[in-house]
PDB file of all heavy atoms in Angstrom:
ATOM      1  N   LEU A   1       5.341   9.810  -2.220  1.00  0.00           N
ATOM      2  CA  LEU A   1       6.545   9.359  -1.440  1.00  0.00           C
ATOM      3  C   LEU A   1       6.470   7.806  -1.277  1.00  0.00           C
ATOM      4  O   LEU A   1       5.338   7.287  -1.140  1.00  0.00           O
ATOM      5  CB  LEU A   1       6.643  10.020  -0.106  1.00  0.00           C
ATOM      6  CG  LEU A   1       6.733  11.542  -0.072  1.00  0.00           C
ATOM      7  CD1 LEU A   1       6.817  12.075   1.442  1.00  0.00           C
ATOM      8  CD2 LEU A   1       7.947  11.962  -0.906  1.00  0.00           C
ATOM      9  N   GLY A   2       7.667   7.208  -1.392  1.00  0.00           N
ATOM     10  CA  GLY A   2       7.752   5.826  -0.988  1.00  0.00           C
ATOM     11  C   GLY A   2       7.145   4.827  -2.047  1.00  0.00           C
ATOM     12  O   GLY A   2       6.827   3.715  -1.649  1.00  0.00           O
ATOM     13  N   ARG A   3       6.970   5.271  -3.284  1.00  0.00           N
ATOM     14  CA  ARG A   3       6.311   4.421  -4.251  1.00  0.00           C
ATOM     15  C   ARG A   3       6.892   4.724  -5.692  1.00  0.00           C
ATOM     16  O   ARG A   3       7.498   5.847  -5.905  1.00  0.00           O
ATOM     17  CB  ARG A   3       4.783   4.446  -4.342  1.00  0.00           C
ATOM     18  CG  ARG A   3       4.354   5.979  -4.552  1.00  0.00           C
ATOM     19  CD  ARG A   3       2.768   6.006  -4.404  1.00  0.00           C
ATOM     20  NE  ARG A   3       2.356   5.625  -3.106  1.00  0.00           N
ATOM     21  CZ  ARG A   3       1.118   5.412  -2.667  1.00  0.00           C
ATOM     22  NH1 ARG A   3       0.202   5.371  -3.550  1.00  0.00           N
ATOM     23  NH2 ARG A   3       0.848   5.153  -1.493  1.00  0.00           N
ATOM     24  N   PRO A   4       6.650   3.860  -6.629  1.00  0.00           N
ATOM     25  CA  PRO A   4       7.115   4.114  -8.030  1.00  0.00           C
ATOM     26  C   PRO A   4       6.395   5.391  -8.573  1.00  0.00           C
ATOM     27  O   PRO A   4       5.107   5.493  -8.338  1.00  0.00           O
ATOM     28  CB  PRO A   4       6.753   2.972  -8.772  1.00  0.00           C
ATOM     29  CG  PRO A   4       6.600   1.867  -7.782  1.00  0.00           C
ATOM     30  CD  PRO A   4       6.170   2.479  -6.542  1.00  0.00           C
ATOM     31  N   PHE A   5       6.922   6.208  -9.395  1.00  0.00           N
ATOM     32  CA  PHE A   5       6.418   7.366 -10.047  1.00  0.00           C
ATOM     33  C   PHE A   5       5.716   6.835 -11.216  1.00  0.00           C
ATOM     34  O   PHE A   5       6.305   6.285 -12.087  1.00  0.00           O
ATOM     35  CB  PHE A   5       7.521   8.414 -10.362  1.00  0.00           C
ATOM     36  CG  PHE A   5       6.841   9.776 -10.833  1.00  0.00           C
ATOM     37  CD1 PHE A   5       6.361  10.651  -9.899  1.00  0.00           C
ATOM     38  CD2 PHE A   5       6.719   9.996 -12.128  1.00  0.00           C
ATOM     39  CE1 PHE A   5       5.818  11.947 -10.377  1.00  0.00           C
ATOM     40  CE2 PHE A   5       6.166  11.127 -12.666  1.00  0.00           C
ATOM     41  CZ  PHE A   5       5.753  12.150 -11.708  1.00  0.00           C
ATOM     42  N   PRO A   6       4.435   7.278 -11.346  1.00  0.00           N
ATOM     43  CA  PRO A   6       3.668   6.744 -12.612  1.00  0.00           C
ATOM     44  C   PRO A   6       4.002   7.559 -13.817  1.00  0.00           C
ATOM     45  O   PRO A   6       3.752   8.676 -14.011  1.00  0.00           O
ATOM     46  CB  PRO A   6       2.194   6.999 -12.131  1.00  0.00           C
ATOM     47  CG  PRO A   6       2.283   8.203 -11.196  1.00  0.00           C
ATOM     48  CD  PRO A   6       3.607   8.040 -10.516  1.00  0.00           C
ATOM     49  N   LEU A   7       4.866   6.951 -14.759  1.00  0.00           N
ATOM     50  CA  LEU A   7       5.215   7.518 -15.908  1.00  0.00           C
ATOM     51  C   LEU A   7       5.411   6.371 -17.049  1.00  0.00           C
ATOM     52  O   LEU A   7       6.428   5.605 -16.835  1.00  0.00           O
ATOM     53  CB  LEU A   7       6.432   8.368 -15.757  1.00  0.00           C
ATOM     54  CG  LEU A   7       6.893   9.278 -16.934  1.00  0.00           C
ATOM     55  CD1 LEU A   7       5.855  10.308 -17.250  1.00  0.00           C
ATOM     56  CD2 LEU A   7       8.225   9.917 -16.547  1.00  0.00           C
ATOM     57  N   ASP A   8       4.668   6.472 -18.109  1.00  0.00           N
ATOM     58  CA  ASP A   8       4.708   5.298 -19.042  1.00  0.00           C
ATOM     59  C   ASP A   8       5.519   5.897 -20.286  1.00  0.00           C
ATOM     60  O   ASP A   8       5.097   6.822 -20.941  1.00  0.00           O
ATOM     61  CB  ASP A   8       3.278   4.942 -19.517  1.00  0.00           C
ATOM     62  CG  ASP A   8       3.416   3.735 -20.469  1.00  0.00           C
ATOM     63  OD1 ASP A   8       4.414   3.047 -20.526  1.00  0.00           O
ATOM     64  OD2 ASP A   8       2.408   3.563 -21.309  1.00  0.00           O
ATOM     65  N   GLN A   9       6.727   5.346 -20.467  1.00  0.00           N
ATOM     66  CA  GLN A   9       7.590   5.776 -21.600  1.00  0.00           C
ATOM     67  C   GLN A   9       8.124   4.539 -22.297  1.00  0.00           C
ATOM     68  O   GLN A   9       8.298   3.378 -21.778  1.00  0.00           O
ATOM     69  CB  GLN A   9       8.715   6.608 -21.062  1.00  0.00           C
ATOM     70  CG  GLN A   9       8.377   7.907 -20.362  1.00  0.00           C
ATOM     71  CD  GLN A   9       9.552   8.739 -20.003  1.00  0.00           C
ATOM     72  OE1 GLN A   9       9.354   9.930 -19.745  1.00  0.00           O
ATOM     73  NE2 GLN A   9      10.635   8.111 -19.830  1.00  0.00           N
ATOM     74  N   PRO A  10       8.513   4.721 -23.584  1.00  0.00           N
ATOM     75  CA  PRO A  10       9.031   3.571 -24.352  1.00  0.00           C
ATOM     76  C   PRO A  10      10.431   3.139 -23.806  1.00  0.00           C
ATOM     77  O   PRO A  10      11.118   3.940 -23.126  1.00  0.00           O
ATOM     78  CB  PRO A  10       9.286   4.194 -25.707  1.00  0.00           C
ATOM     79  CG  PRO A  10       8.393   5.379 -25.881  1.00  0.00           C
ATOM     80  CD  PRO A  10       8.394   5.965 -24.415  1.00  0.00           C
ATOM     81  N   GLY A  11      10.850   1.923 -24.054  1.00  0.00           N
ATOM     82  CA  GLY A  11      12.093   1.357 -23.851  1.00  0.00           C
ATOM     83  C   GLY A  11      12.478   1.131 -22.310  1.00  0.00           C
ATOM     84  O   GLY A  11      13.710   1.160 -21.910  1.00  0.00           O
ATOM     85  N   ARG A  12      11.418   0.974 -21.500  1.00  0.00           N
ATOM     86  CA  ARG A  12      11.765   0.882 -20.063  1.00  0.00           C
ATOM     87  C   ARG A  12      12.653  -0.358 -19.797  1.00  0.00           C
ATOM     88  O   ARG A  12      12.258  -1.471 -20.305  1.00  0.00           O
ATOM     89  CB  ARG A  12      10.449   0.843 -19.350  1.00  0.00           C
ATOM     90  CG  ARG A  12      10.608   0.601 -17.847  1.00  0.00           C
ATOM     91  CD  ARG A  12       9.493   0.947 -16.938  1.00  0.00           C
ATOM     92  NE  ARG A  12       9.729   0.728 -15.584  1.00  0.00           N
ATOM     93  CZ  ARG A  12       8.908   1.107 -14.583  1.00  0.00           C
ATOM     94  NH1 ARG A  12       7.761   1.782 -14.881  1.00  0.00           N
ATOM     95  NH2 ARG A  12       9.213   1.013 -13.314  1.00  0.00           N
ATOM     96  N   ASP A  13      13.698  -0.201 -19.104  1.00  0.00           N
ATOM     97  CA  ASP A  13      14.544  -1.274 -18.868  1.00  0.00           C
ATOM     98  C   ASP A  13      14.986  -1.412 -17.342  1.00  0.00           C
ATOM     99  O   ASP A  13      16.054  -1.938 -16.879  1.00  0.00           O
ATOM    100  CB  ASP A  13      15.863  -1.238 -19.676  1.00  0.00           C
ATOM    101  CG  ASP A  13      16.623   0.071 -19.468  1.00  0.00           C
ATOM    102  OD1 ASP A  13      16.318   0.918 -18.583  1.00  0.00           O
ATOM    103  OD2 ASP A  13      17.545   0.336 -20.275  1.00  0.00           O
ATOM    104  N   GLY A  14      14.162  -0.804 -16.425  1.00  0.00           N
ATOM    105  CA  GLY A  14      14.473  -0.795 -14.994  1.00  0.00           C
ATOM    106  C   GLY A  14      13.956   0.497 -14.378  1.00  0.00           C
ATOM    107  O   GLY A  14      13.152   1.155 -14.752  1.00  0.00           O
ATOM    108  N   THR A  15      14.549   0.759 -13.178  1.00  0.00           N
ATOM    109  CA  THR A  15      14.176   1.848 -12.373  1.00  0.00           C
ATOM    110  C   THR A  15      15.460   2.591 -11.877  1.00  0.00           C
ATOM    111  O   THR A  15      16.540   2.071 -11.849  1.00  0.00           O
ATOM    112  CB  THR A  15      13.310   1.500 -11.189  1.00  0.00           C
ATOM    113  OG1 THR A  15      13.971   0.603 -10.285  1.00  0.00           O
ATOM    114  CG2 THR A  15      11.969   0.885 -11.646  1.00  0.00           C
ATOM    115  N   VAL A  16      15.176   3.836 -11.379  1.00  0.00           N
ATOM    116  CA  VAL A  16      16.320   4.676 -10.580  1.00  0.00           C
ATOM    117  C   VAL A  16      15.699   4.926  -9.280  1.00  0.00           C
ATOM    118  O   VAL A  16      14.514   5.388  -9.085  1.00  0.00           O
ATOM    119  CB  VAL A  16      16.491   5.964 -11.392  1.00  0.00           C
ATOM    120  CG1 VAL A  16      17.497   6.705 -10.590  1.00  0.00           C
ATOM    121  CG2 VAL A  16      17.153   5.719 -12.685  1.00  0.00           C
ATOM    122  N   GLY A  17      16.547   4.663  -8.184  1.00  0.00           N
ATOM    123  CA  GLY A  17      15.972   4.721  -6.854  1.00  0.00           C
ATOM    124  C   GLY A  17      15.275   3.567  -6.500  1.00  0.00           C
ATOM    125  O   GLY A  17      15.266   2.494  -7.117  1.00  0.00           O
ATOM    126  N   PRO A  18      14.622   3.598  -5.254  1.00  0.00           N
ATOM    127  CA  PRO A  18      14.312   4.749  -4.345  1.00  0.00           C
ATOM    128  C   PRO A  18      15.411   5.050  -3.467  1.00  0.00           C
ATOM    129  O   PRO A  18      15.449   6.271  -3.006  1.00  0.00           O
ATOM    130  CB  PRO A  18      13.052   4.376  -3.699  1.00  0.00           C
ATOM    131  CG  PRO A  18      13.243   2.917  -3.509  1.00  0.00           C
ATOM    132  CD  PRO A  18      13.934   2.380  -4.790  1.00  0.00           C
ATOM    133  N   ALA A  19      16.239   4.126  -3.217  1.00  0.00           N
ATOM    134  CA  ALA A  19      17.278   4.418  -2.122  1.00  0.00           C
ATOM    135  C   ALA A  19      18.399   5.499  -2.599  1.00  0.00           C
ATOM    136  O   ALA A  19      18.680   5.436  -3.828  1.00  0.00           O
ATOM    137  CB  ALA A  19      18.048   3.121  -1.624  1.00  0.00           C
ATOM    138  N   PRO A  20      18.808   6.346  -1.777  1.00  0.00           N
ATOM    139  CA  PRO A  20      19.894   7.238  -2.253  1.00  0.00           C
ATOM    140  C   PRO A  20      21.084   6.612  -2.929  1.00  0.00           C
ATOM    141  O   PRO A  20      21.564   7.099  -4.021  1.00  0.00           O
ATOM    142  CB  PRO A  20      20.340   7.954  -0.983  1.00  0.00           C
ATOM    143  CG  PRO A  20      19.144   7.937  -0.030  1.00  0.00           C
ATOM    144  CD  PRO A  20      18.534   6.596  -0.318  1.00  0.00           C
ATOM    145  N   GLU A  21      21.528   5.465  -2.427  1.00  0.00           N
ATOM    146  CA  GLU A  21      22.638   4.805  -3.042  1.00  0.00           C
ATOM    147  C   GLU A  21      22.274   4.261  -4.489  1.00  0.00           C
ATOM    148  O   GLU A  21      23.106   3.833  -5.262  1.00  0.00           O
ATOM    149  CB  GLU A  21      23.224   3.692  -2.224  1.00  0.00           C
ATOM    150  CG  GLU A  21      22.225   2.524  -1.908  1.00  0.00           C
ATOM    151  CD  GLU A  21      21.362   2.782  -0.765  1.00  0.00           C
ATOM    152  OE1 GLU A  21      21.348   3.966  -0.220  1.00  0.00           O
ATOM    153  OE2 GLU A  21      20.827   1.893  -0.122  1.00  0.00           O
ATOM    154  N   GLU A  22      20.962   4.172  -4.758  1.00  0.00           N
ATOM    155  CA  GLU A  22      20.488   3.746  -6.139  1.00  0.00           C
ATOM    156  C   GLU A  22      20.084   4.922  -6.941  1.00  0.00           C
ATOM    157  O   GLU A  22      19.454   4.742  -8.024  1.00  0.00           O
ATOM    158  CB  GLU A  22      19.190   2.850  -5.905  1.00  0.00           C
ATOM    159  CG  GLU A  22      19.599   1.543  -5.188  1.00  0.00           C
ATOM    160  CD  GLU A  22      18.289   0.800  -4.814  1.00  0.00           C
ATOM    161  OE1 GLU A  22      17.261   1.371  -4.812  1.00  0.00           O
ATOM    162  OE2 GLU A  22      18.459  -0.455  -4.414  1.00  0.00           O
ATOM    163  N   GLY A  23      20.355   6.074  -6.546  1.00  0.00           N
ATOM    164  CA  GLY A  23      20.006   7.336  -7.261  1.00  0.00           C
ATOM    165  C   GLY A  23      18.802   7.996  -6.807  1.00  0.00           C
ATOM    166  O   GLY A  23      18.176   8.953  -7.479  1.00  0.00           O
ATOM    167  N   GLY A  24      18.239   7.589  -5.692  1.00  0.00           N
ATOM    168  CA  GLY A  24      16.966   8.122  -5.108  1.00  0.00           C
ATOM    169  C   GLY A  24      17.359   9.416  -4.517  1.00  0.00           C
ATOM    170  O   GLY A  24      18.423   9.804  -3.958  1.00  0.00           O
ATOM    171  N   GLU A  25      16.247  10.264  -4.278  1.00  0.00           N
ATOM    172  CA  GLU A  25      16.369  11.658  -3.688  1.00  0.00           C
ATOM    173  C   GLU A  25      16.205  11.652  -2.203  1.00  0.00           C
ATOM    174  O   GLU A  25      15.649  10.722  -1.604  1.00  0.00           O
ATOM    175  CB  GLU A  25      15.306  12.533  -4.267  1.00  0.00           C
ATOM    176  CG  GLU A  25      15.322  12.586  -5.851  1.00  0.00           C
ATOM    177  CD  GLU A  25      13.910  12.850  -6.420  1.00  0.00           C
ATOM    178  OE1 GLU A  25      13.135  12.027  -6.208  1.00  0.00           O
ATOM    179  OE2 GLU A  25      13.700  13.864  -6.941  1.00  0.00           O
ATOM    180  N   HIS A  26      16.929  12.599  -1.611  1.00  0.00           N
ATOM    181  CA  HIS A  26      16.851  12.795  -0.159  1.00  0.00           C
ATOM    182  C   HIS A  26      16.515  14.247   0.058  1.00  0.00           C
ATOM    183  O   HIS A  26      17.260  15.163  -0.237  1.00  0.00           O
ATOM    184  CB  HIS A  26      18.162  12.345   0.536  1.00  0.00           C
ATOM    185  CG  HIS A  26      18.006  12.333   2.012  1.00  0.00           C
ATOM    186  ND1 HIS A  26      18.027  13.407   2.828  1.00  0.00           N
ATOM    187  CD2 HIS A  26      17.918  11.164   2.834  1.00  0.00           C
ATOM    188  CE1 HIS A  26      17.911  13.007   4.072  1.00  0.00           C
ATOM    189  NE2 HIS A  26      17.907  11.613   4.104  1.00  0.00           N
ATOM    190  N   SER A  27      15.431  14.489   0.846  1.00  0.00           N
ATOM    191  CA  SER A  27      15.062  15.887   1.059  1.00  0.00           C
ATOM    192  C   SER A  27      16.143  16.571   1.905  1.00  0.00           C
ATOM    193  O   SER A  27      16.651  15.979   2.969  1.00  0.00           O
ATOM    194  CB  SER A  27      13.783  15.923   1.857  1.00  0.00           C
ATOM    195  OG  SER A  27      13.439  17.316   2.301  1.00  0.00           O
ATOM    196  N   PRO A  28      16.589  17.841   1.620  1.00  0.00           N
ATOM    197  CA  PRO A  28      17.323  18.580   2.448  1.00  0.00           C
ATOM    198  C   PRO A  28      16.849  18.823   3.840  1.00  0.00           C
ATOM    199  O   PRO A  28      17.422  19.189   4.756  1.00  0.00           O
ATOM    200  CB  PRO A  28      17.536  19.910   1.655  1.00  0.00           C
ATOM    201  CG  PRO A  28      17.370  19.467   0.171  1.00  0.00           C
ATOM    202  CD  PRO A  28      16.208  18.565   0.331  1.00  0.00           C
ATOM    203  N   TYR A  29      15.475  18.514   3.968  1.00  0.00           N
ATOM    204  CA  TYR A  29      14.743  18.816   5.238  1.00  0.00           C
ATOM    205  C   TYR A  29      14.913  17.420   6.122  1.00  0.00           C
ATOM    206  O   TYR A  29      14.216  17.389   7.194  1.00  0.00           O
ATOM    207  CB  TYR A  29      13.365  19.193   5.024  1.00  0.00           C
ATOM    208  CG  TYR A  29      13.406  20.695   4.668  1.00  0.00           C
ATOM    209  CD1 TYR A  29      13.308  21.078   3.298  1.00  0.00           C
ATOM    210  CD2 TYR A  29      13.357  21.689   5.531  1.00  0.00           C
ATOM    211  CE1 TYR A  29      13.381  22.418   2.818  1.00  0.00           C
ATOM    212  CE2 TYR A  29      13.348  23.031   5.070  1.00  0.00           C
ATOM    213  CZ  TYR A  29      13.316  23.363   3.751  1.00  0.00           C
ATOM    214  OH  TYR A  29      13.349  24.695   3.442  1.00  0.00           O
ATOM    215  N   GLY A  30      15.597  16.486   5.546  1.00  0.00           N
ATOM    216  CA  GLY A  30      15.999  15.402   6.566  1.00  0.00           C
ATOM    217  C   GLY A  30      15.322  13.963   6.282  1.00  0.00           C
ATOM    218  O   GLY A  30      15.443  13.299   7.212  1.00  0.00           O
ATOM    219  N   PHE A  31      14.787  13.854   5.044  1.00  0.00           N
ATOM    220  CA  PHE A  31      14.148  12.414   5.009  1.00  0.00           C
ATOM    221  C   PHE A  31      14.254  12.010   3.530  1.00  0.00           C
ATOM    222  O   PHE A  31      14.393  12.726   2.636  1.00  0.00           O
ATOM    223  CB  PHE A  31      12.796  12.375   5.478  1.00  0.00           C
ATOM    224  CG  PHE A  31      11.840  13.319   4.704  1.00  0.00           C
ATOM    225  CD1 PHE A  31      11.094  12.910   3.559  1.00  0.00           C
ATOM    226  CD2 PHE A  31      11.638  14.685   5.143  1.00  0.00           C
ATOM    227  CE1 PHE A  31      10.470  13.825   2.856  1.00  0.00           C
ATOM    228  CE2 PHE A  31      10.844  15.531   4.491  1.00  0.00           C
ATOM    229  CZ  PHE A  31      10.243  15.056   3.304  1.00  0.00           C
ATOM    230  N   PRO A  32      14.473  10.660   3.321  1.00  0.00           N
ATOM    231  CA  PRO A  32      14.356  10.246   1.883  1.00  0.00           C
ATOM    232  C   PRO A  32      13.061  10.237   1.202  1.00  0.00           C
ATOM    233  O   PRO A  32      11.946  10.014   1.928  1.00  0.00           O
ATOM    234  CB  PRO A  32      14.851   8.729   2.061  1.00  0.00           C
ATOM    235  CG  PRO A  32      14.439   8.310   3.468  1.00  0.00           C
ATOM    236  CD  PRO A  32      14.510   9.648   4.241  1.00  0.00           C
TER     237      PRO A  32
END
């Protein structure tokens, strides 16, 4: 939680998330 997910793949050009408005996930149990 609260950090970049470690995954090395070709062609990296940015990130998705972490904020919900940036595409980040929010737990149905009440927290991002």
Side-chain angles (χ1 to χ4, degrees):
L1 301 181
R3 61 184 63 193
F5 187 85
L7 189 64
D8 184 22
Q9 296 184 162
R12 179 163 179 170
D13 59 6
T15 59
V16 174
E21 61 271 16
E22 298 170 344
E25 298 149 299
H26 192 281
S27 170
Y29 287 91
F31 60 91

